[in-house]
Amino acid sequence: MRKMHRHLVLALGALLSSATLTAQEPKRGGTLTFSYQPEPSALSTIATTAVPVALISTKIFESLLEYKGPELAPLPGLAESWTVAPDGKTYTFKLRKGVQWHDGKPFTSADVKFSIEKLVAPYHSRGRVYYGELAGIDTPDAHTVVFRLKQPVPYFLKAFQPSESPILPQHIMAAVDTSDAKNVRQADFMSKPVGTGPFQFKEWKKGSHIILERNANYWKKGRPYLNQVIFRAIPDGAARAIALETGEIDLAPMNAVPQAEIARLAKLPHIALSNEGAAGLGPLLWLEVNLREKPLSDVRVRKAISMALDRKRIVDVIWYGQGKPATGPIVSGNPELYNKSLKPFRYDIAGANKLLDEAGFPRGANGVRFKMTQHFTPYGESFVRLAEYTKQELGKLGIEAETQSADLGGWLKAVYNDWSYQMTNNFTHNYSDPAIGVQRAFVSSNIKKGASFTNSMGYKNPRVDELFDKSAVETDPAKRKAMLDEIQMILADELPVIFLVEIAYSHLYNKRVHGLITNGISMYTNWDSVWVD
């Protein structure tokens, strides 16, 4: 046994030595070009947290922390260190000295205080969740920031991701009337950003491309490796697939090509496929419904619609196997907090028709019970096909659904600014904790016109509000789990949204690209360590 063990150690040592010798050193220079649909509507997640906005803005803006691994263990970022008081209610961050904004102005604690209090907390779609227990922010000097909380928040250190708590320059944004959401979201800054990140904004030619250039004064010496990051606007999914195949683009992140193309492209010798790097997101597909008017205000109607949709077919045919049927608001990829007692939603056309009869929506002479409209997320072909499938299945119930389309700006306006919709397919992210990614969609305090990816449905349940409020600050894991289990049961029964699919993200990229997958939010990191051959 000792001899075998010795041979194994020697073999492993040789293997590790070989790997060390053959490991490639990062190369400086070059351009990473990627594409995603739709084109961003802004370049800051303060304007909207839509995926294409987060993909671009996280290379420009930074936050206090960075993260490693799928579990998102915190690392120093704009803050070089931090301490937490024994009672869990005071977080003190020491900021890096010598950090500059892209326009050369110094970064200070005043920027952090201003960004959180005036922009992130009131206007980011998850700002009130992250900072709902914030009592105040102190800046005793230019490089110290102290967050005082009313009570402990177990997920507080997860708040300082670049997409979640981006730090913006006070010396620019102070000129904007931050008391008005419209002024903030329509500020010129949202399309001509200035950050501290490794890449700085150069050009946005709408309908064509966005160019980010290397920040020569970046605080990480020698970073970034790339000279440029370019976003290419390619609306057609087949064209994006061809662009990746021919080398016109290097990366198609987060299901940016049609699901039907993923398997084919992954077989090409110069293309790599990864399903990693999104553990901290937890994407969940659902139908968002406006509960303010009949017939969708009737839970029996929502249950009937739910019963008319075959989730396995949606996964297999529309998403080409890239996911699994959802059972509620928390994805099963979060085993610690997912309620395993939830039952799969059943597909039952006959039962759905019976439920609509009981609800008092009989078929008319033409076989139609009622008419309604549906939108679809303007993120590509799969969402169009889902809308077509939904219309077809609702037709079996005597529900005539008219499909309406819009670009990203128009869709966001209809759903979140005006609430002028009846139903839309949509997807959101769980993120690293239910208080961050789930709560925002269902608490009544987050019914806010103009804030994207919030409670657009108008859903109000005092018990759900109470449970979310308590679970967000509960530090006992067992008690917190019990609260979240009850929330999941209520939402799966009341269906303020109709849960469909836990989406699996696929990232396709040219093998000349290195260093993309680093943690559980890899596409939302700053890419300062990414390099190309």
Side-chain angles (χ1 to χ4, degrees):
M1 289 294 292
R2 286 183 182 176
K3 189 173 182 181
M4 275 186 68
H5 178 72
R6 181 172 177 272
H7 284 318
L8 181 59
V9 169
L10 289 172
L12 285 171
L15 182 62
L16 290 171
S17 176
S18 174
T20 302
L21 289 171
T22 58
Q24 291 179 277
E25 285 294 321
K27 295 180 181 178
R28 304 192 186 282
T31 297
L32 172 64
T33 302
F34 76 100
S35 185
Y36 191 87
Q37 172 64 17
E39 181 178 7
S41 58
L43 298 181
S44 166
T45 52
I46 299 301
T48 172
T49 55
V51 170
V53 177
L55 283 168
I56 290 283
S57 66
T58 49
K59 286 60 185 164
I60 301 169
F61 298 106
E62 298 180 291
S63 195
L64 299 188
L65 301 178
E66 295 183 1
Y67 299 85
K68 70 175 181 179
E71 75 284 2
L72 299 183
L75 295 171
L78 288 176
E80 61 183 7
S81 65
W82 64 93
T83 57
V84 184
D87 64 2
K89 294 193 290 186
T90 303
Y91 288 72
T92 302
F93 293 89
K94 292 295 183 180
L95 305 182
R96 294 185 186 278
K97 296 179 180 179
V99 177
Q100 294 182 2
W101 294 100
H102 294 156
D103 62 4
K105 301 290 185 181
F107 159 74
T108 72
S109 58
D111 296 308
V112 178
K113 178 179 173 67
F114 177 86
S115 295
I116 301 302
E117 291 183 342
K118 301 295 186 181
L119 300 171
V120 177
Y123 299 126
H124 192 284
S125 66
R126 294 175 285 280
R128 293 192 184 186
V129 175
Y130 289 124
Y131 301 105
E133 296 300 324
L134 184 63
I137 300 176
D138 300 323
T139 54
D141 60 58
H143 296 96
T144 304
V145 180
V146 181
F147 289 80
R148 291 179 288 103
L149 306 180
K150 300 170 189 173
Q151 50 188 328
V153 176
Y155 53 87
F156 193 64
L157 285 177
K158 296 287 176 67
F160 299 101
Q161 300 172 35
S163 63
E164 307 305 289
S165 295
I167 307 303
L168 278 64
Q170 181 186 27
H171 67 274
I172 297 176
M173 288 302 293
V176 177
D177 177 8
T178 58
S179 66
D180 185 281
K182 185 176 180 181
N183 286 342
V184 171
R185 294 194 171 100
Q186 294 183 358
D188 287 344
F189 182 88
M190 296 299 160
S191 59
K192 297 177 182 177
V194 173
T196 60
F199 299 96
Q200 58 191 48
F201 174 75
K202 179 184 180 182
E203 177 180 87
W204 185 0
K205 187 175 181 181
K206 294 193 176 180
S208 176
H209 62 263
I210 298 168
I211 300 176
L212 307 182
E213 286 192 317
R214 183 179 191 273
N215 175 10
N217 297 313
Y218 189 47
W219 56 268
K220 287 187 188 178
K221 298 302 181 185
R223 303 284 183 90
Y225 297 125
L226 296 168
N227 284 339
Q228 286 187 328
V229 171
I230 297 178
F231 170 87
R232 282 284 316 280
I234 306 175
D236 181 70
R240 287 194 299 278
I242 292 171
L244 182 66
E245 184 175 359
T246 61
E248 183 183 343
I249 63 172
D250 303 299
L251 167 67
M254 300 170 68
N255 297 349
V257 300
Q259 274 71 19
E261 295 279 10
I262 291 175
R264 181 185 71 81
L265 289 168
K267 293 176 183 177
L268 298 177
H270 64 294
I271 299 296
L273 167 66
S274 177
N275 296 115
E276 298 181 355
L281 296 179
L284 182 62
L285 175 71
W286 64 40
L287 295 183
E288 207 153 313
V289 292
N290 194 334
L291 307 180
R292 297 172 183 83
E293 56 187 71
K294 291 184 177 182
L296 292 169
S297 59
D298 190 322
V299 68
R300 294 169 295 181
V301 172
R302 301 196 298 276
K303 287 184 175 181
I305 292 173
S306 174
M307 291 163 67
L309 301 174
D310 185 342
R311 287 158 177 82
K312 187 175 186 307
R313 185 179 177 193
I314 293 172
V315 171
D316 293 343
V317 177
I318 300 177
W319 253 260
Y320 288 85
Q322 300 292 306
K324 61 189 295 187
T327 57
I330 296 178
V331 297
S332 58
N334 186 345
E336 292 182 1
L337 299 177
Y338 173 70
N339 187 340
K340 297 180 178 64
S341 68
L342 290 172
K343 296 179 180 179
F345 294 107
R346 78 179 194 271
Y347 175 59
D348 183 356
I349 294 293
N353 273 302
K354 182 180 178 182
L355 198 55
L356 288 174
D357 289 338
E358 294 171 356
F361 295 96
R363 290 179 184 265
N366 60 357
V368 175
R369 297 178 188 273
F370 58 83
K371 297 180 180 180
M372 62 175 292
T373 59
Q374 66 162 339
H375 286 70
F376 57 84
T377 317
Y379 279 24
E381 291 77 1
S382 294
F383 294 93
V384 176
R385 294 174 66 213
L386 177 58
E388 292 169 349
Y389 170 74
T390 302
K391 179 177 181 176
Q392 169 191 304
E393 293 299 290
L394 295 188
K396 297 176 182 178
L397 305 185
I399 299 174
E400 189 175 298
E402 176 194 344
T403 303
Q404 299 182 354
S405 64
D407 61 12
L408 181 58
W411 179 80
L412 288 168
K413 184 176 187 298
V415 177
Y416 297 107
N417 284 49
D418 302 336
W419 297 334
S420 59
Y421 78 104
Q422 288 186 290
M423 184 169 72
T424 181
N425 62 42
N426 193 8
F427 76 100
T428 63
H429 292 130
N430 270 197
Y431 289 98
S432 55
D433 191 278
I436 298 171
V438 181
Q439 175 176 323
R440 58 180 168 139
F442 302 107
V443 291
S444 61
S445 60
N446 225 20
I447 301 174
K448 301 184 298 180
K449 265 193 173 181
S452 59
F453 303 101
T454 51
N455 185 348
S456 75
M457 306 85 66
Y459 175 67
K460 299 177 182 179
N461 183 317
R463 179 59 177 165
V464 169
D465 287 347
E466 177 189 9
L467 288 168
F468 267 126
D469 286 346
K470 289 182 177 179
S471 66
V473 297
E474 178 56 64
T475 56
D476 184 295
K479 291 180 180 177
R480 189 168 194 243
K481 175 72 163 64
M483 294 176 191
L484 292 170
D485 279 353
E486 184 179 347
I487 288 171
Q488 292 172 77
M489 293 295 292
I490 293 172
L491 295 179
D493 179 60
E494 295 191 347
L495 294 177
V497 302
I498 297 167
F499 304 101
L500 296 178
V501 175
E502 298 178 10
I503 301 174
Y505 277 144
S506 294
H507 315 298
L508 288 162
Y509 57 94
N510 193 300
K511 289 181 180 177
R512 80 185 195 98
V513 180
H514 305 271
L516 270 175
I517 309 300
T518 56
N519 60 18
I521 52 169
S522 291
M523 299 302 133
Y524 289 177
T525 58
N526 63 20
W527 291 357
D528 70 339
S529 60
V530 174
W531 58 280
V532 295
D533 286 330

